[in-house]
Amino acid sequence: MIKKGVYKWHAVYVKSRAEKRALEDLRYKGIEAYLPLRIQKKKWSDRIKVVEEPLLKGYLFVRVSQAEYADVLRTSGVVAYVTFGGVAAEIPEKQLEDLRLFLDKVNASVCVTSEAVTKGQKVKVVGGVLQGVEGEIAEVRGKKRIVLRFESLGCVVFADVAIDLIEKVEPIEP
């Protein structure tokens, strides 16, 4: 099947604990979807088990054109698009690539917070496993961290990065 149209990434709200099922249903329909997963150790009274959990509970990312836009909403478990001003918020592809890199390289130490993080200097990682990731530097709980901000979702993804592995990114002048 040849897809036509302009494809953009969007975030969608998903029913509680239905992220993986909605992901399967979207893919079955031929819709490109991404669910960031984090590996966690869960402890029960009789055992410890390693499980994959959604990093951003209640959210999935879909890459659609106008033609598939409504199909996403007709998928079991999908509630609505994340919108601003009544328009589905676009998620830059670079942010999703960086999020994938975070999870591929430092999965165990990736954290998510919705606490307000003061905007800081824009930086790019120039070495190590996160080389090429761009974000903002911030003081979070007393540690220097690289921050990948998803303002459209109201959350921040962050991981520890040595200060000598980053360089400032100068804003582009118009």
Side-chain angles (χ1 to χ4, degrees), residues 61-98:
F61 298 98
V62 294
R63 186 169 179 258
V64 295
S65 69
Q66 282 300 113
E68 296 92 5
Y69 187 88
D71 287 340
V72 171
L73 296 173
R74 289 190 292 266
T75 302
S76 178
V78 174
V79 176
Y81 281 91
V82 174
T83 61
F84 285 98
V87 178
E90 286 183 32
I91 308 294
E93 189 155 354
K94 173 73 170 133
Q95 277 191 336
L96 290 177
E97 289 171 8
D98 288 350

Side-chain angles (χ1 to χ4, degrees), residues 13 22 28 32 41 45 49 54 78 105 108 120 126 151 155 167:
Y13 296 110
Y28 180 78
E32 186 176 354
K41 286 185 181 179
S45 60
K49 188 175 180 181
V78 174
K105 302 296 183 180
V126 295
E151 290 182 21
C155 69
E167 67 180 23

